[in-house]
Amino acid sequence: MSRGAGAGTRTETRRVLVVDDEQSIRLLCRVNLGASGIDVLEADDGESALELARREQPDLILLDVMMPGLDGWSVARELAEDERTRDIPVVFLTARAEASDRRRGAQLGGVGYLVKPFDPVGIGELVEDVLARIGRGEREELQRGIAAEHEQ
Amino acid sequence: MSVHEREDRALRLQRVAELLAEAVTPQEVLDAILTEGVRAAEARAGAIGVLSPDRENIELLAQQGYPGPIMEDWGRFPVSAVLPMSRVVRTGEPLFVSTRRERNELFPELPAQARSGGAMVVLPLAVEGRVFGAMALSFEEEVEFGLERREMKIALARLASQNLARSQLYEEEQALRERMTFLAEASEILSSSLDYHHTLGKLARLAVPGLADWCTIDMAGKNGEIERLAVAHEDPEKVRWASELQERYPPNPDDPHGVPQVLRSGEPEFFPSIPAELLDEAIGDDLELRRIIDELGLRSSISVPLTARGRTFGALTLIAAESHPPFTEADFALATELARRAAVAVDNARLYSEAEKGANAAQALAHVADGVVLLDPDGVIRHWNPAAAAITGVDEELAVGRPVGDVVPSWATLTSHVPLSAPGERGAGPVTVPLVRDGRERWLAISGVDFGEGAVYALQDVTDEYALEKTRSDFVATASHELRTPLAAVYGAVRTLRREDVELSEEHRAAFLDMIESESLRLSKIVGQILLAGQLDADAVELSISECDPVQVASEVIESASVHLPEGILLGLSAEGARSIDCDEAKLKQVLVNLVDNAIKYSPDGGQVTIRLDQNGNGCLIEVADQGLGIPAEEQDRIFEKFYRLDPQQTKGVGGSGLGLYICRELVERMDGQLSVESEPGVGSRFQVALPTRR
């Protein structure tokens, strides 16, 4: 697991927190994000995801929904309610593919919605793209885009 | 004149007065005057005439002693005529003519019957100074009328005047009393029932034959047609005949006279004497109809509208024909009053019926399982049926009359997505929304109709249906998750392995290949479960029963479970006295694999997982025991239901298709066995498969 500089300071290297109870999904994200020069933090449940997010202040969170204990929806809600984490962009990475799930993701402030199975090869590019657009002030467009997107 | 003569005259007058005192009706009065009065006056003949209501004519009421058909020929003559009675009525002065010559000179047009004989006296009949008629007396001889004779005649005329007026008043009073009685009876009939078809029929029958020969009641139909509600005549045979006539000659709503005209205009029509041309017009060239009308002998008619709140909805018609005298103004007034009362009664009955319909609707709504809420344009609750009360938990008394937002605070949110359709229009269908009540979430299907003067909402409690639907959609989500997650791993691993821009380490390469293998197996397993559940549903699972050794099966299950065993789990097998059984070996193995998988899955903190085999009466008992999370008592029955999954919070999020235990129980039962569970949360669970030894 790579580590950037301490919390609060920005370095050139992006840091993404991958939250998924499936070890295989975490491995796929780690390898492919790493190939794009992105550092990866990992959490296998909701509680540790919140803790890591608060402590490590990642640039972006890839968040699974169906997890033991605190599920992804609850994690997203708590991230949004906590001022330390509310600005961290969340991209859902989930097997839930229904339109109502997408709307829920948008309501919870998500800026991206990936449905499993997904192509991990492009995930680094996607993260860079989302962060660039947020940098240009397009966060709301991204949120709206989630609900509007059709199933892949 | 002698004293004797004078006394004699006084006696004769007294006798007339006594007779008159006993006479009650005008006819009795006339009889008394024209017999005893004429005799007392020593006259040959006498006649009495009265002014017509228009005071233009004099009508002879009665005569006594004149020869020939005087009543027929001279029954009515103008006040302006040069005749004795006309002159007296005009002047109000008594007329004494002593000689025949004088009389014939004065009145050359006098009828022949009155021209013979001698003297003649005509006296005004007056009450309170107002002349209302005249009395004529004719004498055989020429008579010299001295003062006393004149006074005696004048006295006789005064007696006649007073008594005629009195008797007429009496008769009028009688007639009035009859009318009042009739109206009272009519009112009683009208108020006796709210079935106005029935009461109007009775009313029509009450009117005949006292008030008229015929009485009919017609109603204006919705489309302008005229509907005969009642027809009455004393003779039932004639009623039948009239009904047939009505069918053969239905009234044309555009007819210029009669009921159609009254219904159209709302104005009454009164013919004291039906003009012949009116009948001719109605009959046209129809000879058969003419014969019938002639036979009916229609004389006089009154048609009055039944009008309530400015709307004419019917007409009451009275007809004088064969027996009833032509109608008078008094009859018309009575008919008008009768129609007014009938109209009020009908209107009341209709209003009541409307109100009753409303009450019936409310009564029906009381039994409707759906909540019905009626709001006025200001959002104030006007109706709140018991189902609405049950669904919302707010009683009708607390709801009606209050703004709905006060009664159900979340109303605006609840209905914000409910489209209001117009009446009769097919709405978008109910919208399902959650209502939190007493801390419990109820799901309501709400639809609404805007009818202009407010809106009506139908609320249906679909919590149970919603729960079922939620279970199904949870299954879809679960199945989707269970399928997509391994697929994501396989697909992702392949895509990553094929990256050419990245040099993967050997370690990662091996990990991805392992991933493809294990996740493919997982995928195949979940697909197998879904297919098997479908087959079990369709009863399409075939068992191949043969003798098998349960210990052998259990060993294999333990062996395969020991591969990839999580840390902290200890597997054990205990087999004492188990004997061979008849079963489908593969299916039994599937059941045990599933139970052991579950035992491991639900023991996240580790512990002992044991398969214990034992003899069980005539069969074999296979128990899978763990020291894991356990299952709350209230959920122990439900875990075998299809799609049912334990609360993820309670099971620390252990997922699954919700099909495993359903499949296990189904399979065991198909092998004539039983699958049961004993469990205590925090201590562990024991799943027991009881199978018969031999089948």
Side-chain angles (χ1 to χ4, degrees), chain B residues 60-135:
Chain B
L60 273 191
L61 287 185
Q63 67 90 17
Q64 166 70 40
Y66 291 106
I70 188 171
M71 293 297 287
E72 284 71 22
D73 297 346
W74 291 90
R76 186 182 171 92
F77 47 89
V79 171
S80 57
V82 186
L83 287 169
M85 272 194 186
S86 297
R87 173 172 158 163
V88 167
V89 164
R90 283 199 306 274
T91 62
E93 296 296 326
L95 176 71
F96 293 93
V97 182
S98 294
T99 64
R100 182 189 300 175
R101 192 176 53 82
E102 186 189 1
R103 187 190 68 205
N104 290 348
E105 271 175 19
L106 278 170
F107 305 107
E109 294 165 26
L110 203 64
Q113 293 100 322
R115 292 181 75 86
S116 60
M120 169 186 205
V121 174
V122 182
L123 301 149
L125 298 174
V127 178
E128 289 165 2
R130 188 174 165 84
V131 176
F132 67 87
M135 176 171 82

Side-chain angles (χ1 to χ4, degrees), chain B residues 464-532:
Chain B
D464 293 345
E465 291 89 332
Y466 189 82
L468 190 68
E469 181 52 37
K470 193 170 175 339
T471 304
R472 274 202 198 102
S473 76
D474 279 356
F475 167 71
V476 171
T478 305
S480 166
H481 179 262
E482 293 294 309
L483 291 168
R484 284 171 185 270
T485 302
L487 196 57
V490 171
Y491 177 69
V494 171
R495 288 284 295 156
T496 309
L497 282 171
R498 290 178 68 172
R499 272 187 91 148
E500 288 176 355
D501 56 335
V502 179
E503 189 70 35
L504 289 176
S505 67
E506 265 316 304
E507 190 193 342
H508 281 157
R509 193 170 285 278
F512 288 129
L513 288 171
D514 280 350
M515 193 188 291
I516 292 168
E517 186 183 4
S518 62
E519 296 291 336
S520 299
L521 285 173
R522 181 176 158 192
L523 195 55
S524 135
K525 191 177 146 195
I526 182 74
V527 169
Q529 273 197 345
I530 293 172
L531 286 175
L532 182 55

